[in-house]
Amino acid sequence: MIKINMFSKADTVQGQGVGSAYNELIGLLRKNLSNEFQVTINQYSQSDITHYHTINPTYFINSFSKNRGRKIGYVHFLPETLEGSIKLPSGAKTVLYKYVIDFYKRMDQIVVVNPIFIDKLANYGIDRSKIKYIPNFVSKSVFYEQTDAQKKQFREKVGIPDDKFVIFGDGQVQVRKGVDDFAKLAQANPDIQFIWAGGFSFGKITEGYDRLKKLVANPPKNLLFTGIITRQELVNYLNISNLFLLPSYDELFPMSVLEAFSCGTPVLLRNLDLYKAIIDGYYMSGNNFDDFNQIIQSVLSDPEKLKMYHTLSLKASDEYSEANLTKVWREFYLEQYDLGKKMGQIK
């Protein structure tokens, strides 16, 4: 039995995709691979493989212990992806960004959730051969397409008529997520119900906090900010939505998009190169407010287009399914165990 210890604080701050990805992986291992891998969390005992999901300073220190075995680092963000998320003094930002890369360099193996970041990490001086791409995934048992009756029941619960067109987005309320465009689109389309689920997970250091706080407190009449919600509530909102819109300016592999796919919700995203590398062909895209608005008008007038993207969302969810990724993670951990044995990292 191979011992894998997870070091993570990803689920201590609600509303983060990192926490969702972490929980999905833990669920996969315990459900499908418990006969091969013994998984522990935040334990300091001897392990064959230590998988770091977050970059806490205490984890950096304990990575020097000989009891850690083979050290795996999960890359959910790079210094540049923090721009537009948090606001720090320039000196503190420099120290933080250097620390992020130093943490990754401490690892024996790096896992990225988007292949476009392999080159970026290599440019930071990390050996390309130590970087492995494994995409995020979503469990169909958690995120799924509901029946028409279930959708109708939830619409009634939240007071949204059956014939009301709903556009839904989620994520932390921050500049990087494109919340400004989302609100502007709501103002331009008063007959559509816009809903944004998420909050200020980083508190007052969130980029644009004061301005966005005012927006959340006084949104357009047809824009609802739900705050941070549970996963079941998220499933409900995705299922009553006619369109999922994430106008984010920068992402790695957003769990929110996979969750929308898994519920069969048509997806509209900002036109980013990183999406083309992983989900090209499964979503609609625009470059700016005008593009988004034009696409919204097109799907309003062409229901068949929405049906097509509903089908494409479900197809995408099959590709990034728990079943497919179980095979990938099993092979990865077995390979890392063999490498650790050969290099004397595992006793």
Side-chain angles (χ1 to χ4, degrees):
M1 184 79 74
I2 296 174
K3 297 179 180 179
I4 303 174
N5 185 54
M6 307 292 188
F7 275 113
S8 175
K9 293 293 185 181
D11 52 358
T12 58
V13 179
Q14 290 186 319
Q16 292 191 97
V18 176
S20 297
Y22 165 71
N23 286 323
E24 292 284 5
L25 179 56
I26 295 298
L28 177 153
L29 293 171
R30 289 180 168 170
K31 176 182 174 183
N32 303 324
L33 298 171
S34 61
N35 62 325
E36 294 181 83
F37 305 128
Q38 178 186 340
V39 178
T40 57
I41 298 173
N42 295 332
Q43 299 296 312
Y44 289 86
S45 55
Q46 177 73 45
S47 58
D48 300 316
I49 295 172
T50 301
H51 192 156
Y52 295 89
H53 292 260
T54 54
I55 60 168
N56 302 60
T58 53
Y59 297 165
F60 184 81
I61 294 170
N62 82 48
S63 71
F64 289 88
S65 170
K66 293 181 180 180
N67 290 331
R68 298 290 79 83
R70 181 86 173 162
K71 297 183 290 293
I72 312 298
Y74 218 158
V75 175
H76 292 284
F77 60 87
L78 297 176
E80 54 264 41
T81 65
L82 294 174
E83 295 292 335
S85 296
I86 58 176
K87 185 177 182 179
L88 294 172
S90 58
K93 184 183 294 186
T94 300
V95 171
L96 174 61
Y97 289 5
K98 182 180 184 303
Y99 170 75
V100 170
I101 299 304
D102 285 347
F103 192 102
Y104 295 155
K105 287 182 176 179
R106 274 290 305 152
M107 301 295 105
D108 299 309
Q109 178 74 42
I110 288 292
V111 175
V112 296
V113 296
N114 192 306
I116 201 170
F117 285 91
I118 295 175
D119 287 342
K120 294 180 181 292
L121 285 167
N123 290 337
Y124 279 113
I126 295 175
D127 187 345
R128 187 184 297 270
S129 67
K130 294 182 177 180
I131 307 171
K132 171 78 171 180
Y133 162 59
I134 301 180
N136 285 334
F137 68 96
V138 168
S139 172
K140 283 280 192 180
S141 64
V142 180
F143 289 91
Y144 55 92
E145 186 174 16
Q146 296 175 338
T147 65
D148 289 342
Q150 288 174 310
K151 296 176 185 180
K152 180 179 177 62
Q153 184 180 30
F154 188 69
R155 276 184 176 253
E156 289 177 353
K157 179 181 177 181
V158 294
I160 298 176
D162 290 343
D163 60 350
K164 174 71 76 172
F165 196 92
V166 175
I167 295 179
F168 180 78
D170 70 336
Q172 297 178 56
V173 178
Q174 53 187 218
V175 173
R176 178 176 66 87
K177 290 291 183 179
V179 175
D180 289 310
D181 270 344
F182 197 86
K184 187 178 176 183
L185 286 163
Q187 288 179 314
N189 297 276
D191 293 331
I192 297 175
Q193 177 65 61
F194 284 75
I195 303 171
W196 185 275
F200 296 94
S201 297
F202 294 136
K204 292 185 178 181
I205 65 170
T206 299
E207 184 72 34
Y209 176 79
D210 291 335
R211 179 175 55 78
L212 291 173
K213 193 75 172 176
K214 291 178 182 177
L215 172 62
V216 170
N218 297 284
K221 291 182 179 179
N222 61 322
L223 171 55
L224 169 66
F225 283 101
T226 68
I228 296 173
I229 60 177
T230 66
R231 282 156 75 87
Q232 184 53 58
E233 288 175 309
L234 180 54
V235 173
N236 292 336
Y237 276 112
L238 285 169
N239 270 278
I240 67 164
S241 301
N242 301 94
L243 182 66
F244 175 82
L245 169 59
L246 181 65
S248 184
Y249 291 95
D250 198 1
E251 293 286 348
L252 289 183
F253 196 143
M255 292 295 291
S256 59
V257 173
L258 293 183
E259 290 159 358
F261 282 154
S262 196
C263 293
T265 311
V267 170
L268 171 59
L269 306 171
R270 197 177 295 275
N271 187 23
L272 303 179
D273 288 340
L274 62 93
Y275 293 138
K276 295 175 184 178
I278 51 177
I279 51 175
D280 191 33
Y282 293 121
Y283 62 96
M284 294 169 275
S285 67
N287 293 310
N288 49 44
F289 165 83
D290 290 332
D291 288 352
F292 293 141
N293 201 41
Q294 183 177 8
I295 292 169
I296 290 170
Q297 298 309 314
S298 74
V299 297
L300 282 171
S301 61
D302 185 6
E304 291 303 314
K305 187 174 184 179
L306 276 183
K307 289 182 180 178
M308 180 181 74
Y309 278 97
H310 166 262
T311 301
L312 287 171
S313 285
L314 293 176
K315 185 177 179 182
S317 74
D318 288 337
E319 181 175 348
Y320 296 104
S321 66
E322 180 180 338
N324 284 344
L325 270 299
T326 294
K327 300 172 186 175
V328 173
W329 279 109
R330 178 182 180 275
E331 292 174 2
F332 172 75
Y333 282 131
L334 290 176
E335 178 185 57
Q336 293 304 307
Y337 180 79
D338 289 340
L339 285 171
K341 279 287 190 182
K342 289 177 183 178
M343 299 179 69
Q345 297 167 319
I346 299 174
K347 298 178 180 178

